[in-house]
């Protein structure tokens, strides 16, 4: 910095005091927990209350564990009724009080902190000054002040972190602080933006909880991190009942979940569940890769009708009367009686498995009625019959207990069952494409990612497997949540959206996406197509983010040309950053591709030694790229469950969405485009991952959209 702010030492002293108060609060919480743990025994109620109290203390200790994150990042000076005085509030990650319970730091989510994010020159919201801190851990590096026409404060500084005056041209809050944060190297995991939230972002974060909120925005607008901050804000504002109801975050893949996993804990919210869709339907192997045409069928809502039909086809009356030897006589059930039982079960019960016990009871009742021995006891007779294979065969034919895996395995591996369930729903070629050979055993059955929603639909229709007494274990029921966040929602099929809606307790959702980045088989043309499959308990809202914070203008200009070709109706965000270099294009012969990849990778690694780099390639080239790097003995990681924490990572284009990196090498754009129906959109995604350097390496001609 060329000039030090006159209040730097004073603010550093305040920050040190805030950390001392934080540490004292942490020690007090540990002391109370130790006293609570020392209290053993007592009644069941006393033990329950002690455990509940301990959970609260653990939650508080989690909130107070900030790790390397800065506690305090700003301050607001608010005007009072007296023209000569003002009141100050320091804004931070968590609320901290001193030994007298006087507030030292205000939680960023508190109502009093709202002007820190929302005040403008036209609407000051009562502020005289807003101050931004550049902080590294506990050390204050610089101060940026924004004044709201309040010269009486006696501080004439309105300067950036470099000591120069802050330009009034940008419409961004804390411009110098924001650019300072954006220029830092990536760590391989998404960080919070709590210190640099902009007004349009804060509007989303603090918007009403009810209904479905759509957060749309192009690459680099911060829509993902805004949605996560909104989850943290809602948990703070509506702690009860949201903490008990639960908050669910759904990401597109495990690479993405690993990338975002630290955001909410850094904001003091560690109890939010973060899953991919497959985590919501556990106990199955999802290792099959469907063709795009098959994935399209499984994602269509017609699949729900096929599932209903398939279950209905397993609810059958007997074809002929049956007679079972029992004791000294016989028990009989006519086909007419069985038809009546099946018809009545369908009328009485919404879910298939829940009716099994009732059907079994009615069968036994009808058999006793047909017996010459009218004194047979119902329960004793049923218990005895359950051991007879003939009786088991009757019940299982009429109304078998089914798991979703059993239902789908039987359906997919039987052309007859598939024809019966699907012939009135879809074409012959469509349902025949779902056929696959039967596995040796149920344990060997494998499904695809597109099957997750179909299995969930089957569970909704079947219900959990009942116990012997017919009761359902509540733990096996589909769990619902008080608020759900869905990222990259534009890539979800109608069946997947239906699956998520099933888990919404009250219709409260934050869904995040960009139509221009939709690459799935069910890519929507508008948000109305998405909202049609989500809860409608309250009106939905669509709020757009228009400013691109992450991607340099030179890179965004290139990506915008691709976007205009891929999705002409969409508008690209306005980038606020000028990059140091334009995208670099490296053309070569196919025989030279490996050598060029090695040289460009080494060059970029040397240039960006403090950040993260990715080689983004077509999925089918992943192994080839890895072999090239291995041959050159270049250290790298592969995008997977471990995320992108290596300095250099090979990332298939199918899982790059949502990530941000300092440098990116995009390999063979033409092959990315040719690999799928929405290939241009996939290329748009690949081109918009870098915050500093972009290299395009190709041996095949570039797509025309990339050429000026």
């Amino acid at each position: 910095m060329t000039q030090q702010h006159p209040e730097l030492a004073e603010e550093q002293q305040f920050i040190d005091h805030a950390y001392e108060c934080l540490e004292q609060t942490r020690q007090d919480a540990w002391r109370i927990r130790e006293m609570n743990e020392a209290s053993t025994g007592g009644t069941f109620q006393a033990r329950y209350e002690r455990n509940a109290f301990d959970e609260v203390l653990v939650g508080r200790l989690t909130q107070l564990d900030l790790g390397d994150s800065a506690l305090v990042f700003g301050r607001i000076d608010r005007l009072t009724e007296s023209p000569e005085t003002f009141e100050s509030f320091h804004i931070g990650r968590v609320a901290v009080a001193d030994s007298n319970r006087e507030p030292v730091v205000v939680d960023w989510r508190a109502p009093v902190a709202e002007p820190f994010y929302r005040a403008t020159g036209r609407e000051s919201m009562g502020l005289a000054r807003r101050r931004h801190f550049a902080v590294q851990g506990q050390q204050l590096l610089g101060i940026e002040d924004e004044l709201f026409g309040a010269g009486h404060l006696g501080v004439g500084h309105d300067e950036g972190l470099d000591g120069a005056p802050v330009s009034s041209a940008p419409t961004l809050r804390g411009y110098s602080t924001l650019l300072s944060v954006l220029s830092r190297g990536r760590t391989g995991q998404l960080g919070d933006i709590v210190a640099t939230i902009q007004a349009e972002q804060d509007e989303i974060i603090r918007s009403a909880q009810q209904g479905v909120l759509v957060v749309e925005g192009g690459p680099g607008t911060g829509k993902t991190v805004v949605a996560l901050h909104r989850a943290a804000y809602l948990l703070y504002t509506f702690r009860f009942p949201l903490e008990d109801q639960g908050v669910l975050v759904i990401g597109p893949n495990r690479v993405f979940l690993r990338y975002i996993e630290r955001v909410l804990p850094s904001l003091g919210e560690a109890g939010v569940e973060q899953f991919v869709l497959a985590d919501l339907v556990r106990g199955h192997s999802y290792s099959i890769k469907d063709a795009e045409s098959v994935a399209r069928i499984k994602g269509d809502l017609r699949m729900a009708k096929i599932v209903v039909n398939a279950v209905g086809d397993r609810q059958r009356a007997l074809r002929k009367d049956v007679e079972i030897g029992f004791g000294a006589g016989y028990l009989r059930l006519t086909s007419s009686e069985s038809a009546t039982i099946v018809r009545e079960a369908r009328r009485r019960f919404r879910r298939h498995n829940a009716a099994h016990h009732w059907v079994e009871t009615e069968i036994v009742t009808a058999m006793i009625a047909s017996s010459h021995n009218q004194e047979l006891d119902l329960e004793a007779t049923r218990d005895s019959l359950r051991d007879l294979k003939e009786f088991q065969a009757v019940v299982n034919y009429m109304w078998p207990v089914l798991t979703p895996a059993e239902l789908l395995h039987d359906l997919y591996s039987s052309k007859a069952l598939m024809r019966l369930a699907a012939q009135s729903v879809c074409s012959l070629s469509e349902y025949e494409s779902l056929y696959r050979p039967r596995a040796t055993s149920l344990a060997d059955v494998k499904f695809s990612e597109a099957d997750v929603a179909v299995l969930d639909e089957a569970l909704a229709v079947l219900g959990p497997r009942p116990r012997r007494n017919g009761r359902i274990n509540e733990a096996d029921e589909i769990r619902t949540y008080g608020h759900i966040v869905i990222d990259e929602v534009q890539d979800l099929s109608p069946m997947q959206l239906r699956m998520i809606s099933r888990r919404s307790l009250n219709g409260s959702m934050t869904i995040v996406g960009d139509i221009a980045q939709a690459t799935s088989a069910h890519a929507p043309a508008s948000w109305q197509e998405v909202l049609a499959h989500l809860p409608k308990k309250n009106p939905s809202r669509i709020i757009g983010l228009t400013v691109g914070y992450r991607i340099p203008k030179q890179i965004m200009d290139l990506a915008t040309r691709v976007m205009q070709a891929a999705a002409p109706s969409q508008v690209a965000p306005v980038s606020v950053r000028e990059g140091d270099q334009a995208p670099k294009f490296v053309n070569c012969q196919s025989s030279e591709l490996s050598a060029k990849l090695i040289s460009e990778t080494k060059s970029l690694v040397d240039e960006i030694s403090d950040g993260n780099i990715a080689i983004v390639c077509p999925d089918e080239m992943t192994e080839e790229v890895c072999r090239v790097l291995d041959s050159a003995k270049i250290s790298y990681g592969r995008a997977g469950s471990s995320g992108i924490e290596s300095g250099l990572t090979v990332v298939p284009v199918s899982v790059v969405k949502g990530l941000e990196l300092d440098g990116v090498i995009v390999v063979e754009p033409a092959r990315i485009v040719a690999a799928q129906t929405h290939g241009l959109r996939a290329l748009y995604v690949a081109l918009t991952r870098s915050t500093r350097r972009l290299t395009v390496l190709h041996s095949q001609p570039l797509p025309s959209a990339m050429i000026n």
Side-chain angles (χ1 to χ4, degrees):
M1 290 185 293
T2 59
Q3 178 183 352
Q4 181 171 294
H5 194 286
E7 297 183 21
L8 188 72
E10 180 182 337
E11 291 289 15
Q12 180 65 69
Q13 186 177 6
F14 181 91
I15 291 174
D16 292 340
H17 172 62
Y19 271 93
E20 291 171 1
C21 294
L22 176 68
E23 180 58 30
Q24 186 60 52
T25 303
R26 187 185 292 113
Q27 291 178 8
D28 291 344
W30 274 114
R31 190 179 304 112
I32 294 173
R33 190 179 185 213
E34 289 170 358
M35 293 171 57
N36 185 58
E37 288 180 338
S39 175
T40 59
T43 64
F44 174 81
Q45 180 66 22
R47 294 195 300 273
Y48 175 82
E49 292 176 356
R50 186 168 59 248
N51 291 338
F53 185 61
D54 188 67
E55 287 184 11
V56 173
L57 287 172
V58 171
R60 180 58 175 160
L61 285 166
T62 300
Q63 290 177 328
L64 297 175
D65 185 10
L66 301 181
D68 296 330
S69 302
L71 170 60
V72 188
F73 48 78
R75 164 181 154 180
I76 54 175
D77 298 330
R78 196 167 64 180
L79 295 170
T80 64
E81 294 181 359
S82 171
E84 301 298 326
T85 61
F86 60 90
E87 55 183 352
S88 298
F89 299 93
H90 282 79
I91 313 300
R93 294 175 181 278
V94 294
V96 177
D98 60 20
S99 57
N100 296 321
R101 302 302 179 215
E102 291 296 325
V104 176
V105 181
V106 174
D107 192 296
W108 67 277
R109 297 166 288 188
V112 72
E114 186 174 349
F116 181 74
Y117 300 107
R118 303 287 282 276
T120 64
R122 292 184 178 181
E123 180 52 65
S124 66
M125 301 181 71
L127 294 191
R129 175 174 57 193
R130 173 168 51 204
R131 173 167 287 176
H132 306 270
F133 298 148
V135 188
Q136 186 172 354
Q138 191 171 331
Q139 183 182 2
L140 178 60
L141 303 177
I143 294 175
E144 177 185 356
D145 279 337
E146 295 175 84
L147 304 182
F148 295 86
H152 63 277
L153 287 171
V155 180
H157 292 270
D158 188 11
E159 61 180 28
L161 299 178
D162 58 358
V166 177
S167 170
S168 59
T171 58
L172 301 176
R173 182 194 61 75
Y175 184 66
S176 297
T177 308
L178 173 64
L179 292 187
S180 175
V181 171
L182 291 174
S183 64
R184 296 175 186 168
R186 310 298 112 177
T187 64
Q189 289 196 306
L190 185 64
D192 62 69
I193 58 167
V194 64
T196 59
I197 294 170
Q198 299 300 307
E200 69 170 1
Q201 296 171 329
D202 193 65
E203 178 186 356
I204 294 169
I205 291 169
R206 297 176 191 268
S207 59
Q209 178 190 6
Q210 293 80 13
V212 178
L213 174 65
V214 180
V215 182
E216 66 169 350
T221 55
K223 54 188 180 294
T224 293
V225 75
V226 165
L228 295 175
H229 282 64
R230 172 167 161 76
Y233 170 78
L234 292 176
L235 275 166
Y236 173 87
T237 307
F238 307 102
R239 181 69 62 186
F240 303 102
L242 254 190
E243 196 167 54
D244 289 333
Q245 294 173 345
V247 174
L248 171 65
V249 175
I250 298 175
N253 53 62
R254 299 198 188 283
V255 175
F256 181 84
L257 286 188
R258 184 80 174 103
Y259 177 62
I260 69 169
E261 67 179 359
R262 291 184 186 172
V263 175
L264 285 166
S266 75
L267 299 173
E269 301 297 345
V272 176
E273 296 187 19
Q274 301 184 39
F275 292 146
V276 296
L277 287 176
D279 295 330
L280 300 175
V281 187
R282 297 182 184 275
H284 310 286
S285 172
Y286 299 107
S287 56
I288 290 179
K289 178 75 172 178
D290 280 331
E292 189 171 324
S293 58
V294 174
R296 184 180 295 110
I297 298 169
K298 291 180 179 179
D300 194 284
L301 282 185
R302 291 178 298 171
M303 202 67 199
K305 180 61 176 174
I306 292 175
V307 169
V308 170
N309 290 346
V311 173
D313 292 337
R314 305 299 292 273
Q315 301 165 350
R316 302 166 291 193
L318 297 174
R319 294 180 179 178
K320 59 181 181 180
D321 300 349
V322 297
E323 187 176 76
I324 298 175
F326 187 77
Y330 293 92
L331 296 179
R332 297 176 178 83
L333 180 69
T334 67
S335 61
S336 175
E337 289 172 330
S338 71
T340 301
I341 293 172
V342 169
R343 185 169 57 251
E344 188 64 16
R346 287 175 173 171
R347 187 184 70 83
R348 285 171 174 257
F349 294 90
R350 183 176 60 87
R351 298 190 298 181
H352 173 85
N353 285 338
H356 176 82
H357 186 75
W358 183 88
V359 169
E360 183 186 65
T361 301
E362 290 301 302
I363 292 173
V364 175
T365 301
M367 285 182 166
I368 291 176
S370 68
S371 171
H372 296 295
N373 185 0
Q374 297 297 316
E375 296 182 358
L376 289 174
D377 178 75
L378 175 63
E379 294 300 326
T381 303
R382 175 166 53 194
D383 289 342
S384 298
L385 285 171
R386 278 176 172 168
D387 296 329
L388 300 179
K389 291 182 179 180
E390 299 92 327
F391 179 78
Q392 294 171 7
V394 169
V395 176
N396 289 333
Y397 180 85
M398 289 177 57
W399 206 280
V401 171
L402 295 168
T403 66
E406 289 170 335
L407 179 75
L408 287 196
H409 180 44
D410 289 346
L411 184 65
Y412 289 157
S413 60
S414 170
K415 293 182 179 180
L417 287 177
M418 179 59 75
R419 182 173 61 252
L420 196 61
Q423 62 183 353
S424 63
V425 180
C426 58
S427 67
L428 174 66
S429 61
E430 285 179 316
Y431 68 72
E432 282 188 343
S433 68
L434 299 178
Y435 171 80
R436 61 188 188 216
R438 190 171 186 83
T440 306
S441 67
L442 195 61
D444 298 325
V445 176
K446 293 177 174 57
F447 295 100
S448 69
E449 289 186 2
D451 284 320
V452 174
V454 186
L455 286 164
D456 194 70
E457 188 71 29
L459 179 59
V461 177
L462 292 170
R465 193 180 188 94
R467 299 175 180 176
R468 187 176 176 87
N469 60 6
R471 295 180 179 177
I472 299 295
N473 186 351
E474 290 186 7
D476 295 332
E477 295 283 7
I478 292 174
R479 184 185 170 181
T480 57
Y481 295 83
H483 189 78
I484 299 176
V485 177
I486 315 172
D487 210 323
E488 305 298 350
V489 69
Q490 76 278 350
D491 284 333
L492 297 183
S493 69
M495 284 291 287
Q496 290 169 329
L497 293 170
R498 178 182 173 94
M499 167 185 174
I500 297 171
S501 296
R502 199 173 284 126
R503 284 160 174 79
S504 177
L505 179 65
N506 49 23
S508 176
M509 290 186 178
T510 304
I511 67 173
V512 179
D514 177 14
I515 297 293
Q517 295 185 63
T519 57
S520 72
H522 289 273
S526 70
W527 287 116
Q528 298 309 317
E529 292 183 21
V530 175
L531 291 169
H533 307 294
L534 294 176
K536 302 175 180 62
K537 295 181 180 180
N538 291 287
S540 59
R541 294 155 288 153
I542 302 175
I543 302 180
L545 291 169
T546 59
V547 179
Y549 304 99
R550 171 171 54 82
I551 306 169
K553 184 177 183 300
Q554 294 94 323
I555 295 177
M556 197 65 226
D557 288 345
L558 169 64
T560 298
R561 295 200 298 271
V562 175
M563 185 211 73
Q564 289 171 344
S569 63
Q570 300 302 306
V571 179
V574 178
S575 180
V576 299
R577 296 178 60 214
E578 287 286 344
D580 298 330
Q581 295 182 12
K584 179 181 179 181
F585 291 86
V586 179
N587 186 14
C588 64
Q589 299 296 319
S590 58
S591 59
E592 302 173 324
L593 187 66
S594 296
K596 288 292 184 181
L597 177 60
I598 292 171
S599 62
E600 291 302 323
T601 299
K602 288 181 176 179
S603 175
L604 201 55
V605 169
D606 290 340
E607 185 178 355
I608 307 178
S609 59
D610 61 336
N612 275 48
I613 298 169
I615 299 174
V616 180
C617 61
D619 286 29
E620 68 273 15
M621 285 189 68
T622 304
E623 297 301 328
E624 178 184 345
V625 169
C626 291
R627 285 195 296 270
V628 170
L629 297 178
D630 288 335
S631 68
K633 294 181 170 53
I634 296 175
S635 178
Y636 68 96
R638 298 181 65 163
S641 59
S642 61
I644 53 170
E645 294 182 329
S646 299
L648 173 67
T649 308
V650 177
V651 186
V653 71
S654 63
V655 297
V656 77
K657 197 172 295 182
L659 307 182
E660 64 179 50
L661 303 114
D662 295 284
V664 172
I665 299 174
V666 176
V667 180
E668 294 290 20
R671 290 183 64 173
I672 291 176
V673 173
Q676 55 184 292
T677 303
H678 299 288
L680 272 177
R681 294 185 179 187
L683 177 59
Y684 174 57
V685 173
L687 294 173
T688 53
R689 299 304 100 197
S690 175
T691 65
R692 292 163 67 179
R693 298 284 186 272
L694 172 64
T695 299
V696 178
L697 175 61
H698 65 103
S699 63
Q700 297 183 13
L702 291 174
S704 58
M706 296 183 69
I707 303 173
N708 284 322

